[in-house]
Amino acid sequence: MLPTHQKVVRLAHRPTTDIDPSYHLPLAYESVPTFPDDNGKTPLVLLHRLYLSIDPAMRGWMSSARSYLPPVAINAVMRGATLSEVVAVRGASRLKVGDVVSEFAGEAGGWQEYVIVSARSVRKIETWSELVDNHQQTPRELPLTIHLSVLGTTGLTAYFGFIHVGCPRLPSETKRPEVVLVNAAAGAVGSIVCQIAKNVYGCKVIGVAGSDAKCRLLIDDLKCCDAVINYREMENEVERGAGTADPAELFALKSTEFQKRLRRVLKQIDAKGLDIVFDNVGGYQLNECLSRLNYFARVAICGAISGYNNDLTKQQTDNTVSPTGLYMKHGMAIISLRAKIQGFIVLDYIKEWSNAKKELARWVLEGKIRYQEEDIRDGLENAPSALVDLFHGNNNGKLIVKVGEQ
C-alpha cells in the first residue's frame, strides 16, 4: 500500500556562490500524487524513485543563466537523473508494474519519492542479455546503480566526449600512442575516460586529481594513467607561499606551478605535448593545457566545475572563468596548431545511446572498464548536502542518493 505523504526537495532560491542546502534546497513533505480523474488517452505511470544521480550539471540548472536546458523554476522540484520502479500504470503502455525505468532530467523533476509522468518519457532499463547478446563471457551480476554510472549518462558522457569529440586514433594509425590529459580524472566521468583511452585506444594518459588517494586509484588500482598530477597538493603549496596575494595573483601563481608540473609529467612519459584534452574543470588547468597542445590536437570541453559556483548570470572579467580570457592567450597558437576546441552535451547523441551502452557493457565484461562501487548516500533528505560534497571533492567516484527500496 502506498504512503499518503512523501519527501520532496524544491528549489527555493537561486544560489550565486556556494550552495546552502537548507536555504536553496529545503526538504518538504507533500502528498503522494494520484492519477487525474480525466479519462485521458495519454498513458501515465506512477513511479517510486529508487536512486537519484548527483551531477555537476545540477549547479547550472539552479541558475537563471542560459544553458542547454531551461533553468529549474523557483519552487519547482529539483531536476535530476533517476532510476525508478513503476508502481501503477494508467492506459495502454509497454510498461508494467515492477519495471525499473530511467529518466534523464525528468519532466517532473527528480528530487521526490513519487511522481506521475507520461509513460513515453521514461525508458525501461536493459537487461545484461539485451546489452551483451552473443558475447562469449557470461555477464556477472552488477547492481542496479550501474545504470546511473558506467551504463548511464556518466558513462555515455565519457564515451561520446572522448570518442566523438576527442577522436582518438589507435597506435596502429599513428607513429606513436596519442597523449591524453584528463582532469577530474578520478571522478565519475573522468575515470571512465581514462580507462577507455588507456585500455581501448592504447593512449598514454595523464590524470589530474585532487588527492594522493585519488592519484593512487588511477595509477595502482585502475591502472589507467601513466602519470598523475595532484593539483590540490600543488594549490596548497602555492597558497602557503603566496602570503597576501589577491585572487588574480594567486591564479597566476597556480598557473605557473601547474605548467611546471605538466612539463614534468610529459617528460616522464616521453611526450612533447598533448593530443587530446578531456576537460571537466576549466580555469587555470585548461588554460595551461592549451599551451602544451600538439598539431591537430582535440580539446573536449565537458564541464567547468572550477567556475560553477560563480554567479553565472554576470559577466566575468578575469581569466579564472572567462572563456575569452582563456582562449585569447593562446589564440594564435591554436590557429597555427590547427587544434579543435569543442563543447558537447550528452543529449546531442541521444539517438546513439543504445549502441554506446552495448559497447560500454562489452568493455565492462572484457575488463577494459572496471565497475567501481558508487558512493551512495541514504535518503532524499541528504541529497542537498551530497551535491555540496560533490563540489568540494568529498566523494569517492560516482555520487548517488538512495531514495527508496525496490
Side-chain angles (χ1 to χ4, degrees):
M1 188 172 178
L2 294 177
T4 58
H5 288 78
Q6 62 163 331
K7 297 172 186 174
V8 178
V9 176
R10 296 180 180 272
L11 178 64
H13 305 276
R14 297 198 187 282
T16 55
T17 54
D18 292 344
I19 297 169
D20 179 336
S22 61
Y23 180 72
H24 296 116
L25 295 167
L27 181 72
Y29 290 86
E30 301 179 8
S31 297
V32 171
T34 57
F35 290 127
D37 188 21
D38 59 3
N39 297 315
K41 295 182 180 180
T42 302
L44 299 175
V45 288
L46 173 61
L47 302 179
H48 176 212
R49 302 294 194 205
L50 302 176
Y51 294 98
L52 168 68
S53 177
I54 302 296
D55 299 298
M58 289 173 169
R59 179 60 181 82
W61 298 339
M62 296 170 73
S63 168
S64 61
R66 179 183 176 188
S67 186
Y68 62 95
L69 288 176
V72 176
I74 295 297
N75 295 322
V77 177
M78 183 59 194
R79 178 187 294 147
T82 57
L83 293 176
S84 305
E85 183 179 14
V86 177
V87 293
V89 180
R90 194 195 75 171
S93 172
R94 71 194 187 285
L95 297 173
K96 62 182 185 299
V97 172
D99 285 345
V100 177
V101 298
S102 64
E103 281 183 285
F104 174 76
E107 63 180 41
W111 290 41
Q112 73 267 79
E113 292 181 308
Y114 292 89
V115 66
I116 291 173
V117 299
S118 163
R120 298 188 186 94
S121 70
V122 297
R123 177 177 181 155
K124 184 179 176 181
I125 63 169
E126 302 92 339
T127 64
W128 272 101
S129 60
E130 291 170 334
L131 289 168
V132 292
D133 189 31
N134 297 322
H135 198 278
Q136 292 179 347
Q137 292 178 273
T138 301
R140 59 192 176 98
E141 284 298 319
L142 290 171
L144 194 61
T145 48
I146 195 172
H147 291 277
L148 286 178
S149 56
V150 179
L151 299 182
T153 51
T154 297
L156 293 168
T157 298
Y159 179 95
F160 289 111
F162 183 68
I163 296 173
H164 286 237
V165 180
C167 303
R169 292 186 284 264
L170 293 166
S172 59
E173 301 171 324
T174 61
K175 294 180 180 179
R176 56 169 177 77
E178 292 207 294
V179 180
V180 177
L181 182 139
V182 183
N183 53 24
V189 172
S191 61
I192 298 174
V193 174
C194 290
Q195 291 178 82
I196 295 173
K198 185 70 178 175
N199 301 331
V200 178
Y201 285 90
C203 301
K204 290 185 176 181
V205 183
I206 298 168
V208 182
S211 71
D212 286 340
K214 290 179 179 180
C215 288
R216 287 195 298 271
L217 170 75
L218 297 168
I219 292 283
D220 300 328
D221 193 0
L222 296 178
K223 296 181 171 58
C224 60
C225 287
D226 299 279
V228 291
I229 297 173
N230 183 340
Y231 80 88
R232 187 86 68 187
E233 176 190 60
M234 181 212 79
E235 287 185 347
N236 290 340
E237 289 179 7
V238 168
E239 289 169 5
R240 283 195 296 269
T244 58
D246 63 32
E249 292 171 328
L250 201 56
F251 182 87
L253 290 169
K254 291 176 181 178
S255 298
T256 300
E257 186 58 33
F258 187 80
Q259 184 64 229
K260 289 179 183 177
R261 299 192 183 211
L262 182 54
R263 288 198 298 266
R264 190 183 307 157
V265 294
L266 283 168
K267 184 176 180 180
Q268 178 184 332
I269 64 172
D270 193 26
K272 294 183 178 180
L274 305 170
D275 297 296
I276 301 174
V277 176
F278 193 100
D279 180 57
N280 293 297
V281 174
Y284 71 82
Q285 292 186 26
L286 172 60
N287 200 8
E288 297 310 311
C289 287
L290 294 180
S291 71
R292 308 302 303 178
L293 300 180
N294 289 329
Y295 284 103
F296 302 102
R298 290 82 68 199
V299 181
I301 307 293
C302 179
I305 198 168
S306 67
Y308 280 172
N309 280 329
N310 293 291
D311 187 349
L312 302 179
T313 65
K314 295 181 180 179
Q315 180 67 39
Q316 301 296 329
T317 56
D318 61 69
N319 66 351
T320 60
V321 293
S322 167
T324 302
L326 288 172
Y327 301 148
M328 287 305 294
K329 180 178 178 181
H330 303 294
M332 291 306 297
I334 291 167
I335 294 169
S336 63
L337 292 169
R338 288 80 115 191
K340 179 181 79 170
I341 300 174
Q342 181 180 336
F344 73 96
I345 301 296
V346 71
L347 291 175
D348 297 341
Y349 305 95
I350 195 166
K351 293 181 180 179
E352 302 173 60
W353 283 14
S354 292
N355 289 334
K357 289 183 76 170
K358 290 178 181 179
E359 196 147 36
L360 288 164
R362 178 167 60 84
W363 290 339
V364 170
L365 287 183
E366 293 172 352
K368 293 175 180 176
I369 296 176
R370 202 188 81 183
Y371 168 72
Q372 303 175 75
E373 288 188 7
E374 298 88 1
D375 185 342
I376 298 178
R377 312 293 172 86
D378 192 41
L380 184 63
E381 64 275 13
N382 292 313
S385 60
L387 183 58
V388 173
D389 282 349
L390 180 68
F391 285 98
H392 289 133
N394 297 327
N395 60 297
N396 296 307
K398 176 63 184 174
L399 191 52
I400 293 173
V401 171
K402 183 177 181 180
V403 180
E405 293 284 351
Q406 188 175 358

